Amino acid sequence: MPGTGRGTGNPARRTTVATATTSAAILLAALTGCSTDDTAAASASARPTTLTGKNARTAEQPVPRGSGSRTASDFNGDGAPDLVLDDLAHDGLGDDAGIGIVYGKKGHGLTPGVRQLLSPATYAATTKGRTPAAFASEASCDLNADGFTDLVVSTDPPYDGQGRPPVPLQILFGSPGGIAGKGVKVAIPAKARLGNDWPDQPVCGDFDGDGKADLVVHASNGGLSFLPGPFTRSGAPRSTARLVPSSGNVPAGPAADVNGDGTDDVLVRAHGGAARSTVALGGPNGPQTAGPAYPTGTDVAFGRSGPAVMTADGIVLKNGRTLAVPGTALDTADLDGDGRTDLIASGDGKIRLVAGGTRVVQHSPGTGRVIAVADYDGDGRDDLVVQRVPESAPARDSVVVLAGARTSSLLAAKPRLTFSTAEFTADITP
């Protein structure tokens, strides 16, 4: 059975990857400030909209047609980022319910009524006539360079344990109307594979500096599969796929240009959980040059002021300072729009913020799991999307959008939006 996600036990948390540019540049670009009038208008437009409740299910609306964009995670190409949801609340559905997408509206934010359920039965390619039971999102980027973000998913193709396992990865292509058509299997030539491991853990980025999105995939200890883009509609890289050396085992996204040379680099962890990690630096032939190494930790995040490592003692910053902030996962954002990197620690059920990467915010924004960070409403400040699952009602979760704010707490006092992923599965017959 192939692994999923980033090797940290949280496959849904890293789904926004830049289209044909570095994801770090998208996350950490300097953002313009707002005037007092602008801030007031943004606050008015950010009044919370609650869509949870027995009779509050929103009617599904058609996906608006776009003409293509360079916005990250924009599957319909209308210039607004969309949200991918992996863990859909459901009761008694058996196999994987699928993947949910909530589409954004430019200048407005996410619109839960404009949603799409990517069920395996409808969207997955079959293997030997068998529909996958598992269907999980892994990464998103514009792999065929048509202006519409594509989604890389992992599946569980049949395997008898003999020889090399099949490739479990599939590409769902974006279009003017969003994700459309059956998935296609990612083609990894035999010469680009090493050992008999599952070829999984995909990371998107422009690793060779040609302006096109590529994929890096786990091969085995000592090697990664580098698949240069753009990809064909049949799932094959157009340029020569090759093995590149690796000092670790698990490539981890999002990619970032760590050394500022214009090509994306990829973090490679020794294994899942708490582990050492190093960077494989990108270049004309892909990410094959050894870069910086980091101490044992559960996650590494790259911000404007350098890397931060989540360790058992807290967050270790580039200058060696350790912040006593617990957690197992790290994300970066610019929540208050000041152009500095804010850190988001999570993974232990609670979310904690570090303003500017140095000041620990005293009041936590609450409990839950961070599933996305992006500027959904276009106000120049990143928003935080959190999924909360009550122990008493696991089949009824809530997804909360917390708007970034120019305050000491970095977030608006009230959620901008709340809905349940049960809306995606409400019409599915068990």
Side-chain angles (χ1 to χ4, degrees):
M1 181 77 175
T4 60
R6 202 173 169 251
T8 60
N10 197 345
R13 62 178 288 263
R14 303 282 182 144
T15 58
T16 305
V17 180
T19 307
T21 89
T22 68
S23 57
I26 294 295
L27 285 173
L28 306 176
L31 302 172
T32 57
C34 296
S35 67
T36 302
D37 291 340
D38 290 336
T39 302
S43 298
S45 66
R47 290 174 182 144
T49 303
T50 302
L51 299 171
T52 55
K54 183 176 180 181
N55 298 317
R57 184 172 186 269
T58 55
E60 189 170 348
Q61 304 166 30
V63 177
R65 294 184 67 83
S67 57
S69 80
R70 294 176 64 85
T71 300
S73 288
D74 182 10
F75 301 104
N76 61 332
D78 65 350
D82 308 315
L83 174 66
V84 179
L85 297 161
D86 237 330
D87 298 321
L88 303 181
H90 63 274
D91 187 15
L93 293 177
D95 291 336
D96 197 327
I99 301 164
I101 296 181
V102 175
Y103 286 87
K105 181 179 180 181
K106 195 169 184 178
H108 170 78
L110 295 171
T111 307
V114 184
R115 60 181 181 266
Q116 185 178 19
L117 175 62
L118 308 177
S119 66
T122 303
Y123 287 90
T126 61
T127 299
K128 298 180 179 179
R130 192 179 100 175
T131 299
F135 204 54
S137 68
E138 295 286 351
S140 57
C141 51
D142 184 4
L143 286 171
N144 61 342
D146 64 352
F148 304 94
T149 301
D150 311 310
L151 185 65
V152 184
V153 301
S154 62
T155 65
D156 58 342
Y159 173 55
D160 62 7
Q162 304 298 312
R164 283 182 172 173
V167 177
L169 303 176
Q170 298 185 14
I171 302 172
L172 302 179
F173 288 103
S175 76
I179 296 294
K182 288 274 189 182
V184 299
K185 298 174 184 178
V186 175
I188 305 179
K191 64 182 180 181
R193 296 186 63 174
L194 178 66
N196 291 333
D197 287 359
W198 285 96
D200 56 8
Q201 312 290 346
V203 177
C204 282
D206 179 11
F207 301 108
D208 55 11
D210 67 351
K212 308 299 182 184
D214 314 312
L215 281 180
V216 166
V217 177
H218 162 75
S220 71
N221 283 319
L224 301 172
S225 298
F226 170 54
L227 310 176
F231 282 63
T232 68
R233 295 286 300 194
S234 63
R238 281 199 174 95
S239 300
T240 303
R242 62 181 71 90
L243 275 170
V244 293
S246 170
S247 59
N249 194 41
V250 183
D257 184 1
V258 174
N259 59 352
D261 68 347
T263 62
D264 278 340
D265 313 309
V266 62
L267 183 76
V268 184
R269 298 172 53 76
H271 50 75
R276 293 175 292 100
S277 56
T278 58
V279 167
L281 298 173
N285 296 313
Q288 61 178 5
T289 302
Y294 303 105
T296 297
T298 53
D299 206 356
V300 179
F302 298 100
R304 185 176 293 275
S305 58
V309 184
M310 178 60 79
T311 71
D313 298 322
I315 302 174
V316 178
L317 304 177
K318 182 181 179 181
N319 60 10
R321 178 188 175 194
T322 298
L323 303 176
V325 178
T328 60
L330 275 179
D331 285 278
T332 59
D334 184 359
L335 296 170
D336 56 1
D338 66 354
R340 297 188 302 163
T341 301
D342 306 312
L343 296 174
I344 305 167
S346 62
D348 63 348
K350 198 168 184 179
I351 300 165
R352 303 167 182 89
L353 307 179
V354 181
T358 59
R359 177 181 65 84
V360 178
V361 176
Q362 293 303 311
H363 301 289
S364 166
T367 61
R369 183 169 65 97
V370 176
I371 56 176
V373 179
D375 181 9
Y376 289 103
D377 55 12
D379 66 353
R381 297 183 291 272
D382 284 330
D383 308 311
L384 186 60
V385 184
V386 176
Q387 186 175 33
R388 295 167 178 162
V389 182
E391 293 184 5
S392 59
R396 187 67 181 180
D397 68 346
S398 63
V399 175
V400 182
V401 180
L402 304 171
R406 194 162 304 186
T407 64
S408 60
S409 63
L410 302 183
L411 295 171
K414 295 182 179 180
R416 179 182 179 89
L417 183 68
T418 302
F419 64 95
S420 174
T421 65
E423 297 197 14
F424 287 91
T425 58
D427 295 332
I428 299 177
T429 302

